[in-house]
Amino acid sequence: MHASATRVEDLRLITGHGKFAADWTLPGQLYAAFLRADRAHAEIVSIDTVAARAAPGVVGVFTGEDAIAAGYTKNLQMLTIAGRDGNKPLPTPRPALAHGKVRFVGEPVVLVIAETQAAAQDATELVEIDYRDLDAVIDPYVALAPGAPQLHAGVPNNQLFDWEAGDLPAVEAALGKAAHVVEVKLESTRVVPNPMEPRVCMIQYDAASGVYDVYTCVQGVNMMKKQLSAATDVPEDKFRIFAKDVGGSFGNRSPQYPEHTALMLAARKLGRPVRWVSTRSEGIASDFHGRANFVTGKLAVDAKGKMLAIHLDWVADMGGYLSPSGGASHTRNPATCLSGVYRIPALYGRFRLALTNAAPVAAYRGAGRPDVAYFIERLVDEAAVKLKMDRAELRRKNFIPMDAFPYPTPVGAKYELADFEGCLDKALKFADWKGFEARRAEAKKRGRLRGIGMATVIEGTGAGAFHKDEIALEYRDGLFTAYSVAHSSGQSHETTFTGVIAETLGVPHDRVRLVEGSTEKTLIGNHTGGSRSMVGAGSVCKIAALKLIEKATPLAAEALECEPSQVTFADGAFSGMGKSVPLMKLAADVTAKDLTALDVLGEGSVGSTYPNGCHIAEVEIDPETGVTEILDYNTVDDCGVVINHAVVEGQVHGAVAQGAGQVFGEKAHYDPQSGQLLTGTFQDYYMPRAGLLKRIRVEDHPVPSRINVLGAKGAGEAGCTASIPALNNAVLDALRVVGVTHLDMPLTPLRVWEAIQKAKKK
Amino acid sequence: MMKLTLKVNGQDHAVEVEGRTLLVDVLRDTLALTGTHVGCDTSQCGCCTVHLDGKAVKSCNMLAVQAEGHAITTIEGLAATVNAGDDLHPMQKAFSECHALQCGFCTPGMIMAASAFLAVKPKPTDDEICHALEGNLCRCTGYVNIVKAVKQAAGLPVDQH
């Protein structure tokens, strides 16, 4: 439906009339600047703010003392499962402004508010902080070992949480008797989400009503309210969240940050709106980072290639504090798909969360799913090499067959229907897998190393923190308006949600509009994240439209002078007794008498869907420089029924490029001794640029989901989940012929070149 | 503070700025032309790209006082440079038609950079397009559709895959 239509949201965005968070202004607004920790780990001995307070234009200076006095030291914690010893994750109190200690470079310590941005910035330089330096720890394995610097008094040995999933004795038995056990030790690198719009927060406090107006970037207003309330004990209904256009999210807009609550303190004390717009450097240092998972993995196979068991020993680097989503993202999420797309009788994963002197880690596009897919798919390739089997055939041999669905995995997930072999066959054909060796030979003649790699992956998407999703739908002045709390930050809800409604109602697409995050309507519902918007809120758009038709039917019967049972609805019109009335006309007539006559509230609860697919990447490496070029990239994804192919294709393009960024260059580097951030700006933090991904083919392989009315499965994250293993496997395939058997991301020219030189010397 | 006159989108504006004030801050804060965005602090991202006498410049990378005496065009005024002003510039159209934007934050800068590029290189190769957009970052699209849009705006054949 509505294939490749120009998007509803485009016009304002291409003409410069979008409204992003920094585009809001309020009369009398004050400007905020944060002074941040310039070191990784230190005690705060004293803070002298006298000169800053006296500086021209400064109206307020706030420190950790103010945060402690207000009790702003908490955050919502989404990790609620019990650990190996039955315990919950240990809390890491984090005041809105650092108090007593700083634990990572970039942690906000002092907040200065002034009449102009420049005055606020200037005054931060007048603050004197006396620190007593402590040893820092960046490597999570070192952090967990005896004798490491300790970050939080309440977290012995820096271990926040220790959890396991699966059946250890069964896995150990399988490993003991298997014909082959392959092992990998891998790192899914720490990366910075870097949506192009920096973080922004402006807060206005109304003392009479006690209401905080919060202008900030969100993935959904409800999630932000819930977290702000949890952090401050201010009731949720005392927050109004203002957000229109959001410049990318990737998980980064979901959490409440300490800056939000620090600005609440200032807005309340000063009685004027306070506004903070992050610089990119502040963002790279203090936005929650992604990935940062370290794993030792084993895969047991029999002599014929049947997979018998997987064992993962997983350490997740959580940084200096446990973020709201970091724990759940890097334990429960990966465990859900510990079986990959394979029928494996025995699975076990042990997950430990470690503190380090780096920025906290949270959900980032995929949130643990790309990491587990990477570890499993690397193991599968290792097994294929060991068995001297074709990598596609080894996968095919172990796929969960279609007659085994719904498939309960040994770790408690229940995969819904999928066609792994169908995806694989299409991808093999598009990528000309069989013809590859000829291309490799041709490249060799030119002195190039050519490689091909694949990933067959699955991920759990769709379930959310709120128990249901609501969509309000009403007719006013010639338009149907839908209200949603799932916020788009590029996912095109204004096009796709309205498309679903228009198609269900049989009205022109431009007669339906979407309002996201309205401050007037209070709705229950999830934020955008975990690839859930179309699956959840999108499905409820259809439910709401059907409900509206149902509500209109008796009114149509009156207009048609017949019984409701005699009325039928098709193609946007009600018919009965040989007469018909278009919905648009009926809606105008009935709402002229009773404005709310057609108002409906659609609702639905949607569980997990399991999008899956096969990606094949082909690369060529120049051994003289170590430079890798991605020559071809083919994706076949089952994200259920596709509502708008252009939008899905765009999501896949973007996610594959984000995966490619992580594979080939992105990494938040910290000095392992001092804990200084070494990639603190876009000068030295690698970002994917035009040309990284030249040729990509995106093919749908829809197997409709049975758990939502649209048949949709999540689409936003699959590109990351599959591209990270597919690209790594392709590079290793190219390099195996020269004796390279292991590489860790980022696969920079230097790292690839060094690996080739090292292999030559062997 | 210094007084100067800036010619923006064909109109003269008398403004008062500090010597250190960046052009982008005057455009956004003083003239309320918020289509020009700020995405970094090291002139890498290109979200703030505008035209100065028809050439693409990063408005975060020049002082407001340096812009006096030049014709500045922002995304809000781009369409008017090619027609009466009530329609879209071909690059704007191509971005929408090729789904070359998702969140839209980098888009104004991308469109300004790409349109200035085609003015000097009307029929570029794919590699030349990528090279020209080296200084503009996008986190959503993977750039594939952006390159496609630039080709379409240039009237070049566009690969449907």
Side-chain angles (χ1 to χ4, degrees):
Chain A
M1 62 176 277
H2 307 289
S4 307
T6 297
R7 298 189 315 163
V8 173
E9 39 278 87
D10 282 352
L11 184 62
R12 67 173 185 273
L13 298 172
I14 57 176
T15 55
H17 295 103
K19 192 156 190 173
F20 293 91
D23 301 338
W24 297 83
T25 54
L26 291 173
Q29 65 188 16
L30 293 166
Y31 296 81
F34 287 95
L35 178 62
R36 296 171 180 276
D38 60 358
R39 60 203 70 204
H41 200 192
E43 284 172 27
I44 301 171
V45 179
S46 65
I47 302 178
D48 182 350
T49 61
V50 175
R53 285 177 200 277
V58 171
V59 294
V61 177
F62 299 83
T63 67
E65 297 288 338
D66 301 295
I68 296 290
Y72 290 2
T73 60
K74 311 174 284 183
N75 61 252
L76 183 79
Q77 187 43 253
M78 294 174 200
L79 183 64
T80 51
I81 47 180
R84 284 176 87 213
D85 49 8
N87 287 333
K88 291 285 164 67
L90 296 170
T92 54
R94 182 176 180 189
L97 294 160
H99 186 260
K101 251 178 121 176
V102 293
R103 294 179 176 87
F104 68 95
V105 170
E107 184 173 359
V109 185
V110 179
L111 169 61
V112 178
I113 309 287
E115 295 286 351
T116 68
Q117 188 64 60
Q121 207 83 45
D122 288 348
T124 59
E125 292 174 21
L126 302 173
V127 175
E128 299 246 6
I129 305 176
D130 186 13
Y131 287 113
R132 186 176 301 122
D133 285 324
L134 299 167
D135 287 341
V137 60
I138 293 299
D139 181 325
Y141 289 109
V142 176
L144 292 174
Q150 301 292 297
L151 271 79
H152 288 267
V155 186
N157 301 314
N158 299 313
Q159 184 172 294
L160 284 161
F161 189 52
D162 185 359
W163 183 65
E164 64 185 351
D167 185 342
L168 183 59
V171 167
E172 281 177 338
L175 291 170
K177 67 178 188 203
H180 304 286
V181 175
V182 288
E183 185 170 338
V184 291
K185 193 169 187 309
L186 293 168
E187 174 183 353
S188 178
T189 31
R190 172 185 273 268
V191 295
V192 185
N194 278 326
M196 289 317 299
E197 182 191 19
R199 239 179 332 130
V200 175
C201 180
M202 176 164 66
I203 297 188
Q204 179 164 36
Y205 177 68
D206 179 56
S209 61
V211 169
Y212 294 85
D213 284 351
V214 181
Y215 298 76
T216 193
C217 320
V218 297
Q219 289 174 218
V221 292
N222 285 0
M223 200 56 178
M224 186 53 74
K225 278 188 210 173
K226 190 184 172 97
Q227 292 180 90
L228 286 170
S229 176
T232 59
D233 295 326
V234 173
E236 281 186 44
D237 63 6
K238 296 292 183 192
F239 292 102
R240 293 198 302 172
I241 312 291
F242 293 81
K244 280 192 171 172
D245 292 308
V246 179
S249 54
F250 319 116
N252 194 245
R253 312 300 195 187
S254 167
Q256 163 266 322
Y257 283 88
E259 284 89 347
H260 286 119
T261 46
L263 292 162
M264 281 172 63
L265 286 174
R268 192 171 61 216
K269 172 104 183 275
L270 301 171
R272 285 168 66 184
V274 293
R275 166 194 169 85
W276 170 66
V277 179
S278 172
T279 64
R280 180 60 57 184
S281 310
E282 284 184 284
I284 291 177
S286 69
D287 286 3
F288 294 156
H289 291 177
R291 315 273 191 254
N293 293 303
F294 299 74
V295 163
T296 302
K298 291 182 193 141
L299 169 65
V301 290
D302 73 12
K304 289 179 178 164
K306 197 82 200 134
M307 296 177 191
L308 305 172
I310 281 183
H311 182 290
L312 296 186
D313 186 357
W314 185 302
V315 171
D317 168 7
M318 289 285 108
Y321 300 88
L322 187 56
S323 74
S325 66
S329 292
H330 294 172
T331 52
R332 199 192 56 205
N333 284 3
T336 298
C337 293
L338 199 50
S339 203
V341 293
Y342 312 109
R343 184 176 240 171
I344 305 175
L347 302 171
Y348 177 78
R350 183 182 177 191
F351 300 81
R352 284 174 289 164
L353 304 184
L355 288 166
T356 63
N357 291 110
V361 170
Y364 168 63
R365 202 169 197 170
R369 302 168 185 93
D371 311 75
V372 73
Y374 172 52
F375 302 135
I376 292 173
E377 290 300 291
R378 277 287 300 268
L379 281 167
V380 173
D381 263 29
E382 290 298 325
V385 170
K386 187 98 170 188
L387 290 157
K388 297 189 171 63
M389 269 181 84
D390 178 79
R391 288 166 287 161
E393 294 318 305
L394 175 61
R395 284 174 167 84
R396 188 191 301 278
K397 192 182 180 94
N398 288 282
F399 280 157
I400 300 162
M402 283 189 84
D403 61 14
F405 294 102
Y407 179 77
T409 74
V411 279
K414 195 183 240 181
Y415 292 169
E416 59 174 338
L417 185 61
D419 176 19
F420 303 136
E421 224 175 337
C423 288
L424 175 72
D425 285 335
K426 265 191 193 170
L428 291 174
K429 191 167 142 261
F430 294 143
D432 186 21
W433 179 264
K434 282 195 179 137
F436 173 72
E437 287 307 327
R439 299 196 291 281
R440 193 197 308 262
E442 183 278 327
K444 196 179 169 194
K445 282 186 204 154
R446 289 183 282 112
R448 300 296 168 100
L449 301 169
R450 195 157 173 137
I452 194 166
M454 70 161 52
T456 49
V457 303
I458 189 165
E459 55 183 19
T461 72
F466 293 83
H467 69 283
K468 65 177 175 180
D469 291 296
E470 292 178 337
I471 296 283
L473 181 60
E474 57 191 38
Y475 177 90
R476 302 279 187 279
D477 303 324
L479 279 179
F480 292 96
T481 301
Y483 294 86
S484 168
V485 289
H487 215 98
S488 175
S489 47
Q491 295 87 349
S492 321
H493 297 172
E494 283 170 73
T495 301
T496 56
F497 286 13
T498 55
V500 166
I501 293 168
E503 184 163 291
T504 310
L505 297 180
V507 302
H509 197 171
D510 68 1
R511 294 295 89 200
V512 186
R513 68 175 190 131
L514 177 73
V515 176
E516 292 175 301
S518 162
T519 50
E520 310 302 319
K521 291 245 188 296
T522 305
L523 298 170
I524 298 170
N526 286 290
H527 69 315
T528 296
S531 304
R532 75 169 64 87
S533 281
M534 184 50 73
V535 171
S539 294
V540 179
C541 283
K542 179 157 184 174
I543 291 168
L546 290 171
K547 204 167 169 182
L548 188 142
I549 294 167
E550 193 183 311
K551 193 172 184 184
T553 300
L555 302 168
E558 275 178 44
L560 298 168
E561 296 171 322
C562 62
E563 291 300 312
S565 62
Q566 295 171 305
V567 174
T568 57
F569 180 80
D571 299 328
F574 293 94
S575 307
M577 297 295 280
K579 289 189 282 186
S580 97
V581 57
L583 172 60
M584 291 301 297
K585 181 176 179 339
L586 181 79
D589 293 345
V590 299
T591 56
K593 286 176 231 151
D594 171 8
L595 192 62
T596 63
L598 293 182
D599 288 8
V600 291
L601 184 67
E603 61 171 61
S605 300
V606 177
S608 289
T609 68
Y610 289 89
N612 59 89
C614 176
H615 289 204
I616 299 182
E618 193 160 329
V619 301
E620 205 167 274
I621 297 165
D622 181 347
E624 300 300 317
T625 61
V627 170
T628 305
E629 195 181 347
I630 306 168
L631 295 178
D632 197 15
Y633 198 97
N634 287 282
T635 78
V636 179
D637 281 302
D638 164 19
C639 55
V641 172
V642 172
I643 305 303
N644 181 315
H645 176 76
V647 167
V648 167
E649 186 178 66
Q651 288 291 312
V652 174
H653 284 177
V656 169
Q658 235 164 329
Q662 180 175 359
V663 173
F664 291 109
E666 288 188 49
K667 187 181 180 185
H669 285 278
Y670 286 90
D671 181 89
Q673 263 75 48
S674 70
Q676 272 300 332
L677 177 60
L678 304 177
T679 49
T681 72
F682 277 162
Q683 303 259 44
D684 28 37
Y685 184 85
Y686 172 100
M687 285 285 280
R689 284 174 154 78
L692 177 65
L693 203 59
K694 289 194 183 79
R695 232 188 94 80
I696 177 167
R697 175 176 186 145
V698 176
E699 199 68 28
D700 304 324
H701 188 77
V703 178
S705 170
R706 290 172 183 174
I707 66 152
N708 64 80
V709 295
L710 295 175
K713 300 174 183 173
E717 295 163 304
C720 275
T721 299
S723 65
I724 294 169
L727 288 163
N728 272 289
N729 283 341
V731 171
L732 268 178
D733 180 58
L735 294 177
R736 274 206 178 88
V737 297
V738 293
V740 177
T741 54
H742 177 83
L743 263 184
D744 257 319
M745 297 183 283
L747 308 182
T748 58
L750 177 65
R751 197 171 275 193
V752 169
W753 184 84
E754 282 177 345
I756 294 170
Q757 302 312 310
K758 208 169 135 196
K760 271 187 191 165
K761 284 186 194 139
K762 270 188 200 161
Chain B
M1 299 293 273
M2 314 166 72
K3 286 183 178 169
L4 62 149
T5 302
L6 290 180
K7 192 179 181 70
V8 182
N9 299 331
Q11 265 191 303
D12 283 338
H13 297 271
V15 296
E16 206 174 353
V17 300
E18 282 189 69
R20 62 177 168 175
T21 303
L22 300 171
L23 175 58
V24 67
D25 292 330
V26 175
L27 294 174
R28 287 183 54 82
D29 301 340
T30 313
L31 304 181
L33 293 168
T34 54
T36 302
H37 298 149
V38 179
C40 77
D41 43 11
T42 51
S43 73
Q44 307 284 307
C45 80
C47 292
C48 66
T49 306
V50 299
H51 293 176
L52 192 81
D53 301 328
K55 291 199 181 88
V57 298
K58 292 181 174 175
S59 61
C60 76
N61 211 22
M62 97 182 269
L63 300 170
V65 293
Q66 292 175 296
E68 194 169 35
H70 298 277
I72 301 156
T73 306
T74 69
I75 187 72
E76 291 91 343
L78 181 66
T81 62
V82 289
N83 53 39
D86 55 357
D87 205 349
L88 297 172
H89 185 281
M91 192 62 75
Q92 291 172 316
K93 260 185 225 161
F95 263 64
S96 182
E97 287 164 6
C98 297
H99 189 32
L101 64 150
Q102 289 180 28
C103 82
F105 191 81
C106 76
T107 308
M110 281 283 178
I111 288 175
M112 297 310 282
S115 55
F117 168 61
L118 284 194
V120 293
K121 188 89 194 177
K123 299 290 170 196
T125 64
D126 285 20
D127 281 347
E128 286 168 338
I129 295 170
C130 292
H131 185 70
L133 296 179
E134 175 81 18
N136 288 77
L137 297 179
C138 168
R139 193 53 148 172
C140 295
T141 66
Y143 304 93
V144 179
N145 288 347
I146 290 176
V147 173
K148 199 188 273 187
V150 177
K151 288 169 77 174
Q152 180 154 316
L156 294 166
V158 171
D159 178 8
Q160 285 316 308
H161 269 298

